[in-house]
């Protein structure tokens, strides 16, 4: 078993939670993948206004970084493995550049899902957590909450659906001299079924109904990676706005440039727990969204007709 020093941590390359590591085995993204959104693009200001950056401090004073999303003025959603066995968190909000956030909030209020075993940490099925913020964060052009997948669509098969995943990290592998990116990056991925995902991870007991898996969209290098954990996987919903259908959790020990899919936790499975922790209801009905979209389209059509009525009649005198 080899011991590797990587990004300030020592890892045993050979076993994760007692299971042999192979190219087809799930691996803790923060330990075993290169740190970046791979083969993606830099985000523009306000493009992904729910994205946050979370810096975590452990008992020994070590610091590492994850992603997360604003879901309310005082709440952020992230991955459980990002906050497990860590005690202080610095959340940067309203940013595409890490050096210029609109808000910086320090908090120690973490809530890990009860089925996730914190002392073990690492790759687990219910890899989801909430951070309570110590101040009220107002919304604006660069800060907006992300709508969570609702409970009625929690088990939808997203095979072939185009996703967007975003986060921060290295611009290239460490061995190639890559440096940490200050700019938020994003990339498209394509959904695959859990049955297909299990063909890539045949010995995994982690891929369950709470899991979404996604592969590259049109370039096998496209993926989420270390530093992206806890960040949002979104779709464009019927109203043209993003809905978070996954929280970045794990990928393959083969590396993020490999064609192996990455895995995400479906927030639609956890609405009862969200309500218990926050006192807020993040669930919603798909029919309400469709009705709202229909109403907006009708209003737009009426506005368009009114604009046409108000326009002066233009006559082409050459056609008499």
């Amino acid at each position: 078993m080899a011991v590797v020093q990587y990004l300030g941590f020592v890892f045993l390359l050979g076993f994760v939670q007692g299971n042999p590591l192979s190219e087809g085995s799930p691996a803790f993204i923060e330990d075993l993948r290169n740190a970046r959104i791979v083969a993606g693009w830099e985000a523009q200001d306000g493009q992904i206004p729910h994205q946050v950056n979370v810096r975590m401090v452990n008992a020994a004073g070590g610091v590492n970084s994850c992603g997360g999303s604003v879901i309310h003025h005082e709440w952020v959603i992230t991955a459980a493995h990002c906050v497990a066995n860590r005690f202080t968190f610095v959340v940067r909000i309203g940013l595409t550049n890490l050096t210029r956030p609109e808000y910086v909030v320090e908090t120690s209020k973490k809530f890990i899902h009860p089925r996730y075993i914190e002392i073990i940490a690492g790759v687990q099925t219910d890899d989801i957590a909430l951070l309570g913020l110590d101040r009220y964060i107002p919304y604006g052009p660069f800060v907006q909450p992300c709508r969570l997948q609702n409970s009625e669509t929690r088990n939808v098969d997203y095979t072939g659906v185009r996703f967007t995943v975003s986060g921060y990290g290295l611009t290239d592998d460490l061995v190639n001299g890559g440096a940490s990116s200050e700019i938020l990056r994003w990339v498209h991925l394509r959904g695959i079924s859990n049955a297909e995902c299990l063909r890539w991870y045949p010995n995994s007991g982690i891929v369950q109904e709470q899991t979404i898996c996604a592969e590259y969209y049109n370039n096998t290098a496209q993926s989420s990676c270390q530093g992206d954990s806890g960040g949002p996987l979104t779709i464009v919903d019927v109203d043209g706005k993003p809905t978070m259908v996954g929280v970045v959790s794990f990928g393959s020990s083969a590396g993020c440039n490999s064609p192996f899919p990455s895995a995400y936790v479906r927030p639609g499975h956890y609405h009862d727990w969200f309500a218990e922790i926050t006192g807020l209801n993040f669930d919603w009905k798909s029919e309400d969204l469709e009705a709202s979209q229909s109403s907006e389209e009708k209003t737009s059509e009426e506005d368009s007709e009114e604009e046409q009525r108000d326009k002066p009649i233009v006559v082409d005198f050459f056609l008499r």
Side-chain angles (χ1 to χ4, degrees), residues 112-254:
I112 293 176
H113 192 271
R115 286 196 299 268
Y116 185 93
I117 305 172
E118 181 174 11
I119 194 170
I120 295 176
V123 180
Q124 298 179 41
T125 299
D126 300 294
D127 187 10
I128 197 162
L130 296 171
L131 289 175
L133 304 179
D134 290 331
R135 60 179 289 193
Y136 180 96
I137 303 299
Y139 299 148
F142 308 122
V143 181
Q144 289 291 322
C146 192
R147 177 172 55 212
L148 298 178
Q149 175 192 50
N150 62 13
S151 57
E152 69 183 72
T153 59
R154 64 187 181 273
N155 290 326
V156 164
D157 182 357
Y158 289 104
T159 299
V161 172
R162 189 176 74 174
F163 298 127
T164 298
V165 65
S166 52
Y168 297 89
L170 299 184
T171 56
D172 204 344
D173 298 346
L174 285 175
V175 294
N176 296 324
S180 181
S181 173
E182 293 181 352
I183 308 300
L184 177 65
R185 298 177 68 83
W186 64 277
V187 73
H188 288 312
L189 299 177
R190 179 187 287 106
I192 63 173
S193 68
N194 280 14
E196 171 65 17
C197 193
L198 285 168
R199 282 193 278 273
W200 291 92
Y201 301 105
N203 300 316
S204 171
I206 298 166
V207 178
Q208 302 289 336
E209 63 178 3
Q210 301 99 305
T211 309
I212 283 180
C213 291
E215 63 180 3
Y216 64 90
Y217 186 68
N218 57 11
N219 178 340
T220 55
Q222 293 165 334
S223 183
S224 58
C225 291
Q226 180 190 3
D228 300 326
S229 288
L233 180 78
T234 62
I235 60 170
V236 177
D237 227 319
V238 296
D239 61 351
K241 298 175 183 177
T243 293
M244 187 195 308
V245 296
V247 174
V248 181
S249 182
F250 72 84
S252 170
S253 57

Side-chain angles (χ1 to χ4, degrees), residues 65-106:
S65 179
C66 272
S69 300
V70 173
I71 57 171
H72 180 264
H73 295 285
E74 298 172 304
W75 292 98
V76 161
I77 191 169
T78 187
H81 78 254
C82 289
V83 300
N85 304 311
R86 286 163 172 82
F87 308 101
T88 304
F89 311 94
V90 177
V91 185
R92 289 173 168 83
I93 303 169
L95 73 169
T96 52
N97 188 313
L98 285 174
T99 65
R100 297 197 298 272
E102 280 204 288
Y103 304 97
V104 178
V105 181
E106 185 171 340

Side-chain angles (χ1 to χ4, degrees), residues 267-282:
H269 279 263
Y270 302 95
H271 281 287
D272 288 345
W273 180 67
F274 296 152
E276 177 186 339
I277 296 299
T278 68
L280 301 167
N281 180 18
F282 292 98

Side-chain angles (χ1 to χ4, degrees), residues 43 49 51 54 99 275 286:
Q51 177 83 46
V54 183
T99 65
S286 297

